[in-house]
Amino acid sequence: SQTIHQWPATLVQPVGSPLSLECTVEGTSNPNLYWYRQAAGRGLQLLFYSVGIGQISSEVPQNLSASRPQDRQFILSSKKLLLSDSGFYLCAWGSEETQYFGPGTRLLVL
Amino acid sequence: SQQGEEDPQALSIQEGENATMNCSYKTSINNLQWYRQNSGRGLVHLILIRSNEREKHSGRLRVTLDTSKKSSSLLITASRAADTASYFCATVPQEDSYKLIFGSGTRLLVRP
């Protein structure tokens, strides 16, 4: 069966520090991969998606970037965090029509 | 921008009652999906309805889709306290089938 992992679960970072969130998927090959951000009490905002290794589509211009160095690994990064980067970050993989979500990373930028 | 908008934003009902949540969207879609999120957790897929379908059932869930009005509803019958969660609709746009565009969600509280 397929599983999706995200880490860390919680992260507190100072403004201006770098960020690296990792997502890995097991049990499937060549999945579509997604990064979402969710502000408190709100819906999900699609940040990036990838249909293959090295292929990244950006949905929202901002100081975040994504990379897919391996088939089942998706990384969300920032060189310098802003206060507005605080939120709940969710990774998902897509199977035809449905997406399956990881447990999320709660990021607090102080 | 978010494709879907849901109402109500919050709903509080007694256990055993039915809960109805509505979702509206803006563009042509391939399908519409409903997801559930428990507080602080990831989302779980509940049900998918395709653009050529009008109604679908899964257990205590009933979903309707009206493409002429660009709207959908999710009905949870005989609610339980364990149904307390946030519920989101999400659409797959016809012009980009890789994406899921989420609404803002309905927070459901089922009082025991």
Side-chain angles (χ1 to χ4, degrees):
Chain A
S1 64
Q2 301 88 0
T3 55
I4 179 168
H5 304 279
Q6 277 186 255
W7 63 91
T10 306
L11 191 59
V12 181
Q13 292 284 98
V15 170
S17 64
L19 173 74
S20 181
L21 301 181
E22 189 162 344
C23 170
T24 59
V25 181
E26 295 176 358
T28 186
S29 297
N30 196 30
N32 294 334
L33 296 172
Y34 304 84
W35 277 112
Y36 293 89
R37 177 168 60 201
Q38 184 179 30
R42 304 291 299 276
L44 276 68
Q45 179 187 37
L46 179 62
L47 301 176
F48 301 95
Y49 70 94
S50 171
V51 299
I53 295 174
Q55 300 179 61
I56 308 295
S57 296
S58 174
E59 289 298 299
V60 183
Q62 55 204 323
N63 70 319
L64 298 172
S65 62
S67 62
R68 185 170 178 174
Q70 300 180 48
D71 181 44
R72 289 169 288 179
Q73 184 185 30
F74 205 23
I75 297 172
L76 183 68
S77 304
S78 173
K79 292 181 180 177
K80 287 186 177 181
L81 284 168
L82 307 173
L83 286 174
S84 57
D85 291 324
S86 292
F88 191 47
Y89 288 82
L90 288 154
C91 180
W93 72 274
S95 170
E96 295 185 353
E97 295 172 310
T98 304
Q99 291 188 18
Y100 300 90
F101 286 80
T105 293
R106 189 162 304 281
L107 172 66
L108 179 59
V109 183
L110 300 175
Chain B
S1 63
Q2 293 285 352
Q3 164 90 300
E5 295 296 330
E6 284 141 279
D7 80 276
Q9 291 186 337
L11 180 61
S12 179
I13 59 174
Q14 200 71 35
E15 202 166 28
E17 294 179 339
N18 295 341
T20 300
M21 290 160 265
N22 303 295
C23 167
S24 61
Y25 58 92
K26 296 177 182 175
T27 62
S28 298
I29 62 172
N30 284 338
N31 65 67
L32 183 145
Q33 305 175 32
W34 286 89
Y35 286 78
R36 167 191 166 130
Q37 183 182 35
N38 284 35
S39 180
R41 307 291 295 275
L43 278 72
V44 175
H45 179 261
L46 294 176
I47 193 167
L48 179 153
I49 186 165
R50 293 187 173 81
S51 59
N52 62 351
E53 298 175 312
R54 292 295 167 260
E55 187 171 312
K56 205 160 183 180
H57 297 254
S58 177
R60 294 184 294 115
L61 304 180
R62 172 178 169 255
V63 170
T64 62
L65 179 64
D66 186 334
T67 52
S68 66
K69 295 181 179 178
K70 291 186 167 58
S71 67
S72 172
S73 68
L74 171 67
L75 169 67
I76 303 175
T77 59
S79 65
R80 306 166 182 168
D83 294 328
T84 293
S86 291
Y87 292 82
F88 296 90
C89 72
T91 53
V92 175
Q94 276 189 357
E95 74 273 11
D96 194 338
S97 60
Y98 291 117
K99 296 182 188 176
L100 261 184
I101 309 298
F102 282 84
S104 52
T106 294
R107 294 187 307 280
L108 173 66
L109 172 65
V110 182
R111 303 186 305 274

